[in-house]
Amino acid sequence: PYPCLAFFVYLHSTNILCRYTLRVSPSTFVHAIMFTLQHLVSQLKAQGISDERVLRAIERVPREAFVPAAYED
């Protein structure tokens, strides 16, 4: 089976947080993760974070290690 790609959408006007899960091919999964990390790093840079050690750590630390078990499939 293909891996799941889960994402959350926050509907600000209604204060609702929705969770969506999609089954995607492994290559699509990897591409989505890389895009998300690149976006996160660019947001941090835009906020003035320039320490390369911090930015590299953001790119390397697996986010899934911090997902509470309640949100895992």
Side-chain angles (χ1 to χ4, degrees):
Y2 285 156
C4 285
L5 183 62
F7 57 97
F8 295 87
V9 175
Y10 177 66
L11 306 172
H12 181 70
S13 61
T14 59
N15 236 9
I16 295 175
L17 181 66
C18 300
R19 179 177 185 255
Y20 296 94
T21 305
L22 301 171
R23 291 220 179 267
V24 295
S25 69
S27 63
T28 300
F29 184 79
V30 169
H31 180 73
I33 296 298
M34 294 307 298
F35 175 79
T36 302
L37 290 175
Q38 290 169 355
H39 181 68
L40 176 58
V41 168
S42 66
Q43 285 182 323
L44 292 172
K45 286 180 178 180
Q47 293 176 17
I49 296 173
S50 59
D51 188 327
E52 288 299 319
R53 295 171 298 175
V54 171
L55 299 173
R56 278 195 308 271
I58 293 295
E59 291 176 334
R60 292 181 180 158
V61 173
R63 303 288 165 268
E64 61 274 12
F66 300 98
V67 175
Y71 294 108
E72 293 179 0
D73 288 332

